[in-house]
Amino acid sequence: MKPKIIESKPITLVGMSFYGDPFDTHAGWDEDNQIGLLWKRLFSFLKKDTVFSFLAQSRAWYEVHIHSEETQAKGLFEVFVGVEIERARVTELPAHLLVKNLSAEQYAIFTFEGEEISSDWEKILETWINESDYQSAGSYNFQYYDERFKGLDRISESVLDVYIPIKKKSD
Amino acid sequence: MVDQVKVIFKAIEFIESHLKEDITVAQIADAAGYSLFHFMRKFNQIVHHTPYDYLMRRRLTEAAKALIQNEQRIIDIALDFAFNDQETFSRVFRKMFQITPSQCRKENGISFQFLLQAKTLDELKFINSDHFSIPLVIEVEELTLTGLMIALDKNEQKVATQKKQVLSDFLSACSLPKLATLYEIEYGLNHQFGKRYSFVGAEKEKLIRSSALLVDQTINKGRFVKMEVLESEMSLALAYIHTTWIPRVGLVENKEMFVCGWRYDATLKERTIFILIPVK
């Protein structure tokens, strides 16, 4: 699979985070694993927040997987889910919400459709980066959900973009 | 699903051959040919442990066996199984077995039921079969039974013959109504008395004819984990409940006994049994 390479400005996100093994209670493709619960927690908070409830209407959502040494050793990830926000508004955010700054300048975007979304696409990403002229430019990747993603119950009609931060191997 | 079970079983085999090395979950995923994230999802779905939890419990189980079987210093056993120091080893050991490594050595052990043996392909197939249903936690009222008690041999191979014999003795010592429920209780799982006992009986008030040979036993009121399985799956189910399901849901076993029961019907080729394990 050949990804699209894009240049990007830094992306500022606001949302919520989970650290641990996302599948420690449930492992199915349902919404009840830790990531599903995290999304529910974020939506529930945003809908009730008096200042930032407008974010609940956002058309594009991000799920960021942040790796560390512990990720490799113990299978523990930080998973952050959120939405883009204007930088100027960051100081107004309540304590419940976190800010993530994704500073990479270049991304490879892989687009997965239908059943591909529930396949082992991370392996495709790993293989591509090992064989390409690029290397990882940050220990994270993110999934970008917009109107093309119809939900886990309509996965066959859905489209998902996955971004990995990259830079040229010679850089 | 069967193919995925086989791939995950490869990961189980990889773990088994590297228990004493400082391997990472990423290396295990690689051995299975999956990305780390996908592997974690699949492993959990198929084994019902997170990969790291499984690795730690397998190391601790083998370390517990080493504590009982040899006289190596505890620190050396800890280092052998890739723990950085004795303090960490003792803390996680206690978390899994509720006793410290030195107590384990002094009291000569932990009953085999609580040791997480390497998952076999049969066990993985069992927990991923279409008819598998997860255990339930239920409240059981006090129940008085009448039956026969025996001390079980230390040799596991003789135990099955002993249990068959005591069941046959019980059935000739009484008359049961059609489809009465038979109960088998096994005591002494915590090795407290150094012996295990087995009781076979039925509800006292339902017996049509009794005998002076029979003794009473009571199952005390309380919380139990209940699972229904085919008799041929009983040992797989017990291993699953004791070492996977109960730790996974965060319950603590009352390690004195467990019960299994079945409807007495001599015409059935294979009976469905229920297992009851008391929990705190």
Side-chain angles (χ1 to χ4, degrees):
Chain A
M1 179 178 279
K2 206 175 169 200
K4 195 167 128 190
I5 310 290
I6 61 147
E7 305 295 320
S8 171
K9 287 179 187 165
I11 303 166
T12 303
L13 301 176
V14 58
M16 287 182 177
S17 185
F18 160 82
Y19 185 79
D21 182 323
F23 310 109
D24 68 348
T25 51
H26 293 85
W29 266 102
D30 53 29
E31 291 173 5
D32 284 336
N33 63 43
Q34 295 292 354
I35 301 175
L37 295 173
L38 181 62
W39 279 110
K40 281 183 187 165
R41 190 153 59 91
L42 177 65
F43 283 130
S44 159
F45 178 82
L46 288 180
K47 278 179 192 163
K48 287 180 199 155
D49 190 78
T50 48
V51 182
F52 289 95
S53 59
F54 70 93
L55 290 174
Q57 309 304 319
S58 300
R59 300 174 85 175
W61 297 83
Y62 293 72
E63 179 177 313
V64 190
H65 293 183
I66 301 155
H67 306 241
S68 67
E69 259 181 45
E70 274 203 316
T71 310
Q72 300 299 308
K74 299 182 180 176
L76 306 177
F77 285 81
E78 182 180 350
V79 179
F80 172 91
V81 297
V83 64
E84 265 188 90
I85 189 166
E86 284 173 58
R87 284 199 158 207
R89 299 210 64 177
V90 162
T91 52
E92 297 170 48
L93 291 168
H96 301 78
L97 297 173
L98 300 170
V99 171
K100 287 283 177 197
N101 191 37
L102 308 179
S103 56
E105 291 167 358
Q106 219 176 12
Y107 287 96
I109 310 174
F110 293 79
T111 301
F112 298 100
E113 291 179 27
E115 298 308 319
E116 287 174 353
I117 295 170
S118 40
S119 72
D120 187 6
W121 47 256
E122 294 229 354
K123 192 76 188 170
I124 295 172
L125 271 53
E126 272 176 27
T127 310
W128 177 81
I129 203 150
N130 288 335
E131 292 171 357
S132 73
D133 300 335
Y134 294 91
Q135 57 185 316
S136 172
S139 49
Y140 68 90
N141 62 51
F142 65 84
Q143 295 159 50
Y144 179 83
Y145 294 89
D146 58 16
E147 70 286 348
R148 294 168 302 151
F149 189 83
K150 310 292 182 195
L152 290 173
D153 52 340
R154 289 171 60 195
I155 209 99
S156 61
E157 305 157 45
S158 293
V159 176
L160 172 72
D161 286 337
V162 180
Y163 287 60
I164 47 171
I166 50 163
K167 59 184 178 190
K168 281 274 186 191
K169 273 183 180 154
S170 52
D171 287 354
Chain B
M1 193 62 170
V2 175
D3 288 346
Q4 289 179 3
V5 169
K6 284 182 182 164
V7 174
I8 292 300
F9 184 64
K10 265 195 209 166
I12 296 278
E13 289 181 314
F14 180 83
I15 291 172
E16 282 311 301
S17 54
H18 295 81
L19 282 179
K20 292 187 169 181
E21 292 161 43
D22 193 13
I23 52 163
T24 65
V25 175
Q27 286 170 312
I28 308 169
D30 211 36
Y34 283 138
S35 72
L36 177 58
F37 196 75
H38 196 76
F39 172 70
M40 286 164 55
R41 185 202 329 273
K42 286 291 162 202
F43 192 92
N44 215 317
Q45 196 176 36
I46 288 166
V47 188
H48 296 194
H49 287 267
T50 70
Y52 189 66
D53 179 69
Y54 180 82
L55 173 65
M56 293 294 274
R57 286 176 185 275
R58 281 295 302 132
R59 281 179 177 155
L60 289 166
T61 292
E62 293 306 312
K65 288 183 192 168
L67 280 166
I68 300 159
Q69 287 161 3
N70 68 44
E71 290 177 357
Q72 250 185 308
R73 291 185 310 160
I74 294 176
I75 176 73
D76 292 333
I77 293 176
L79 296 174
D80 256 6
F81 285 95
F83 292 95
N84 290 334
D85 52 67
Q86 190 170 332
E87 196 190 337
T88 311
F89 172 64
S90 298
R91 184 171 44 78
V92 291
F93 190 94
R94 197 185 167 125
K95 191 179 168 196
M96 178 168 176
F97 298 119
Q98 287 85 49
I99 59 170
T100 63
S102 46
Q103 277 175 303
C104 170
R105 175 164 271 169
K106 208 163 118 193
E107 291 165 17
N108 198 23
I110 293 156
S111 186
F112 72 92
Q113 286 93 340
F114 305 109
L115 297 172
L116 175 65
Q117 308 297 347
K119 295 277 182 197
T120 61
L121 193 53
D122 279 347
E123 197 175 349
L124 297 186
K125 284 180 180 167
F126 163 64
I127 60 182
N128 291 283
S129 62
D130 293 338
H131 66 274
F132 177 82
S133 56
I134 59 160
L136 300 169
V137 179
I138 58 163
E139 296 290 331
V140 173
E141 292 301 317
E142 184 179 287
L143 195 62
T144 303
L145 306 172
T146 292
L148 288 171
M149 178 86 95
I150 48 158
L152 294 174
D153 201 283
K154 284 195 172 167
N155 180 346
E156 270 307 305
Q157 285 166 343
K158 288 188 184 164
V159 166
T161 319
Q162 280 187 300
K163 285 184 174 178
K164 220 173 192 177
Q165 185 59 49
V166 74
L167 173 63
S168 150
D169 291 349
F170 169 68
L171 292 173
S172 21
C174 68
S175 292
L176 290 167
K178 213 179 168 191
L179 298 179
T181 302
L182 286 173
Y183 293 84
E184 184 185 304
I185 312 176
E186 195 171 317
Y187 297 93
L189 300 187
N190 61 359
H191 272 199
Q192 199 179 346
F193 307 109
K195 271 188 180 172
R196 285 156 61 210
Y197 297 87
S198 180
F199 171 88
V200 171
E203 279 177 73
K204 192 174 183 178
E205 58 192 42
K206 293 196 175 157
L207 254 56
I208 298 169
R209 175 179 64 85
S210 186
S211 146
L213 281 173
L214 304 183
V215 292
D216 287 357
Q217 277 296 313
T218 303
I219 298 175
N220 292 327
K221 180 183 173 174
R223 284 175 89 196
F224 288 78
V225 171
K226 184 181 183 186
M227 189 175 190
E228 287 193 11
V229 289
L230 293 173
E231 192 182 19
S232 58
E233 296 169 334
M234 184 171 154
S235 59
L236 296 173
L238 280 172
Y240 174 75
I241 304 171
H242 284 304
T243 59
T244 298
W245 196 79
I246 287 180
R248 180 176 164 93
V249 296
L251 290 168
V252 177
E253 265 191 64
N254 175 356
K255 296 181 177 175
E256 288 169 1
M257 49 89 98
F258 74 85
V259 182
C260 75
W262 65 95
R263 284 282 174 92
Y264 178 59
D265 183 350
T267 62
L268 280 180
K269 271 191 185 165
E270 181 163 38
R271 54 196 180 210
T272 300
I273 58 164
F274 62 84
I275 296 167
L276 292 173
I277 294 181
V279 285
K280 292 185 235 180

